Amino acid sequence: MSFRIGIDIGNFDTKTQHTNTPSGYVQYSVKPALAKEYLKYKGNYYAPTVNRFEYVKDKTENERALILSLFAIAKEIMFKAKQDGCTNDAQIQDYIKNIGSISIGVGLPVGDFTKLKDKTNDYYISNLGIDRIEFNYLGYDYKLTLEKCTTFPQDLLPVAANRDCMIAQKYKKYLIIGIGGQTVDLIPVIEGIPVAEMCSSLRLGVRKMFTDIINYLDINYGISLGEDTIESVIKKDPTALSDDMKNSVYVQADMHAKKIINACVQKGFNFIEYPVVYYGGGCLLLKEYLESIKDVSVYEFLDDVNANAKFYAEKIRG
């Protein structure tokens, strides 16, 4: 049995078709006793953490993308095993054992695609494709061979090839604004083709916003908070913060959304000429604030944060 998996390694979360994992982990020499989730690879243990890694433009420079990809592969296979009726450990292990090979699809920002495509493919082939890769996830043994790796431009496929995206279907010209953990990708599209020379990445992702808000609260209230707490406040989840502190977070989030749109204008994008498709978890987090910006009158939000991975998996079938 072969398996096809789309892997979208963002600076905030790593996604497959059906799973999300924070893009950060802690390495241990022994099995972490309190970890709800762990992976063992080449004698070391790894447990995900909400303390995400710092931004790296070229993810092939270290093994982090490999470890995050192993988490993604293991979790997607386990999801499918349970979906196909496996209900106990023995059934799940047998299901995994019957997978002889996998094909993966991964993504790169449009602006970096030409430069890093071959290097990214080589990274996965050299790490996953030469020998049979073996690792353990939550006690389940995985022994897999990489059959194929294909690299795609991220954020483009879920929009341009998405029949449910009304703006992509209606307009010949539009702008994709993809807000991720560390960057905001700007992808102008004309008749389904990205205008490569106008694509750019801004260092204005949600983690930049989190840092700014954390610094603001530290200066004005003398408290130090984590990114996860700031995210909870913006999502209107219950927290112990005072109303005054929460209002400060809302104001800062609104300012960040406006900063993103102002940066688009500075890049030469006229929102009368370019309707906007917002994509990515950052867009959903800032939806309330982006919707309040009057300069952008024609827009659409795509709310499936796993869409990149789904389209990667679909396209590698050919």
Side-chain angles (χ1 to χ4, degrees):
M1 179 171 58
S2 61
F3 220 85
R4 293 172 173 84
I5 302 173
I7 303 174
D8 179 13
I9 300 182
N11 292 302
F12 196 74
D13 283 343
T14 295
K15 284 87 65 178
T16 65
Q17 299 97 294
H18 303 99
T19 72
N20 290 358
T21 306
S23 290
Y25 60 76
V26 179
Q27 180 177 328
Y28 300 89
S29 58
V30 296
K31 179 181 174 181
L34 300 179
K36 294 182 179 179
E37 186 178 350
Y38 68 88
L39 181 143
K40 183 182 181 183
Y41 176 64
K42 291 187 175 180
N44 291 314
Y45 290 86
Y46 303 87
T49 174
V50 294
N51 296 319
R52 276 81 172 181
F53 294 129
E54 292 301 314
Y55 170 73
V56 176
K57 185 174 184 178
D58 182 358
K59 293 183 173 67
T60 68
E61 293 180 351
N62 54 50
E63 73 166 3
R64 290 174 179 173
L66 171 63
I67 301 301
L68 292 172
S69 295
L70 293 181
F71 272 109
I73 290 166
K75 293 173 73 169
E76 182 65 23
I77 290 174
M78 186 170 292
F79 175 91
K80 191 64 165 58
K82 293 178 180 179
Q83 189 180 55
D84 287 348
C86 297
T87 58
N88 59 53
D89 290 344
Q91 291 174 341
I92 293 173
Q93 184 63 77
D94 285 343
Y95 188 96
I96 296 169
K97 185 177 180 181
N98 287 329
I99 299 173
S101 64
I102 59 171
S103 294
I104 63 173
V106 298
L108 287 169
V110 172
D112 299 327
F113 185 74
T114 300
K115 180 180 178 181
L116 295 177
K117 176 185 176 183
D118 291 341
K119 190 177 182 182
T120 300
N121 281 343
D122 290 344
Y123 174 84
Y124 280 101
I125 291 170
S126 63
N127 282 289
L128 300 177
I130 295 177
D131 300 312
R132 190 173 179 84
I133 188 164
E134 300 184 12
F135 62 96
N136 184 285
Y137 174 73
L138 290 180
Y140 300 103
D141 290 321
Y142 288 75
K143 298 179 180 181
L144 307 168
T145 300
L146 181 65
E147 179 179 337
K148 184 178 183 180
C149 175
T150 307
T151 305
F152 300 96
Q154 69 187 33
D155 297 345
L156 178 64
L157 286 171
V159 178
N162 189 341
R163 295 186 179 276
D164 294 326
C165 179
M166 301 307 297
I167 284 180
Q169 296 299 311
K170 181 177 181 179
Y171 295 97
K172 292 184 177 180
K173 191 174 188 177
Y174 56 89
L175 175 66
I176 302 172
I177 300 179
I179 304 180
Q182 290 283 10
T183 61
V184 175
D185 292 331
L186 306 182
I187 308 173
V189 180
I190 298 179
E191 295 188 346
I193 305 298
V195 185
E197 64 272 18
M198 294 179 66
C199 294
S200 62
S201 290
L202 312 172
R203 292 293 299 275
L204 290 173
V206 294
R207 294 192 65 194
K208 173 65 169 65
M209 176 186 68
F210 290 157
T211 298
D212 291 344
I213 294 174
I214 289 168
N215 290 339
Y216 178 89
L217 294 177
D218 188 19
I219 292 170
N220 290 275
Y221 295 94
I223 60 170
S224 181
L225 301 177
E227 291 183 352
D228 54 335
T229 300
I230 303 301
E231 182 181 11
S232 293
V233 173
I234 295 175
K235 287 181 174 180
K236 307 292 176 63
D237 294 336
T239 66
L241 271 68
S242 68
D243 289 342
D244 186 52
M245 291 180 189
K246 286 188 280 190
N247 287 332
S248 293
V249 172
Y250 303 148
V251 170
Q252 295 295 314
D254 182 62
M255 289 173 58
H256 191 81
K258 289 183 171 66
K259 189 181 296 184
I260 291 172
I261 298 304
N262 289 338
C264 294
V265 174
Q266 292 172 9
K267 288 287 184 179
F269 294 110
N270 184 325
F271 295 115
I272 296 176
E273 185 179 18
Y274 286 93
V276 171
V277 179
Y278 291 113
Y279 175 74
C283 289
L284 298 180
L285 184 65
L286 293 173
K287 183 176 181 180
E288 173 186 344
Y289 306 102
L290 293 168
E291 287 181 324
S292 69
I293 298 174
K294 303 302 181 184
D295 291 344
V296 185
S297 58
V298 181
Y299 60 85
E300 181 176 357
F301 285 83
L302 296 187
D303 59 4
D304 185 356
V305 297
N306 299 83
N308 267 325
K310 288 177 180 177
F311 276 88
Y312 300 160
E314 178 181 337
K315 293 300 179 182
I316 58 176
R317 292 179 181 176

